[in-house]
Amino acid sequence: MPGEFDLIRRHFTRPAPAGMLGVGDDCALLMPTAEATAVSTDLLVEGRHFFADVDPRALGHKSLAVNLSDLAAMGARPTAFVLGLALPRVDDAWLSAFAGGMFALADAHGCALVGGDTTRGGAGVTVSVTIFGAVPAEAALRRSGARPGDDVWVSGALGDADLALRLLAGEPDLPVADRAAALAATRRALEWPEPRVALGLALRGVASAAIDVSDGLLQDLGHVLAASGCGARLCADDVPLSPALAALPPAWRRRCALGGGDAYELCFTAAPDARARVAEAAARAGVPATRIGAVEPGAGLRVVDRGGAALPDLPAGFDHFRPGTT
Ligand code: ADP
Ligand code: MG
């Protein structure tokens, strides 16, 4: 069985890009630039964020993807990341697949692994990634920039990851006749999210505020509105759904698309006179963007149907510490 340092050398050591000191010293060195450094960290805990039997390649991908998604939401360009790993045991095949999934995504985004920490942990695997990106401070897409009159937009389609999670958890009252087919159609969204980095970059100077949808559209848009001191009207019928979701009854569709987490799409606001530039940004990034509502003066989020009627029983987003959330 390999020791700690052998494990790091074999699975997580690669030459650092020019201008950086990477794995192997007490600290990594990243050279300063004129831009601001965007920093974000995410923790993934077995049994809470992923199932114990998850494909390790997918876990490696997702551990980095959720961090890249935070950079995307700020309009930042990824530069480097560090990886904290707590492992109950050393399983070389598992680690090699995990590292493979992570490095494939890292390479696709030019984001280098420059350090980390590895330890024996408790019963399950814990993964912590801290990511660094670059963005001119004045160009960063903050949550606080939405203004009344702005459009509300979302990228991609929502709800697949949440439906996949409900299927994997075997939720009994889910009205899905062919669960295997539904899982086959949605699992990729849950396990292999595609962070919208190119869209975030293209939205610099176009979007007024942005957030990535990690805990549910309503909750995450609520954060933008609270930070911006505004309210909004959101048309639930305009929220883009995948074909797998379209087969569900309306209440379930809303539960998955408006309340479901793990989507890693971008929700953003932009002035109405920027509509053509939003469309260009989306086309350049190769991801659809859909207008789903409008920012209003005041506070709070009004969710309506296409006829303008308020919708009842809206789903709450995900909160690890809310009573009743397991
Ligand atoms: P220290 O004890 O000085 O914190 P470590 O012995 O924990 O350093 O780690 C040795 C080197 O390996 C360091 O450069 C560290 O950043 C790197 N490292 C440790 N774990 C990982 C990992 N999971 N991924 C990438 N690099 C790692
Ligand atoms: Mg250490």
Side-chain angles (χ1 to χ4, degrees), residues 245-281:
L245 227 70
L248 291 179
W252 277 96
R253 255 185 261 160
R254 284 200 286 274
R255 208 166 291 167
C256 296
L258 305 183
D262 265 354
Y264 302 106
E265 295 295 346
L266 296 187
C267 175
F268 56 97
T269 59
D273 66 10
R275 281 177 196 171
R277 285 189 292 147
V278 169
E280 273 163 40

Side-chain angles (χ1 to χ4, degrees), residues 4 116-118:
E4 173 187 343
D117 198 23
T118 308

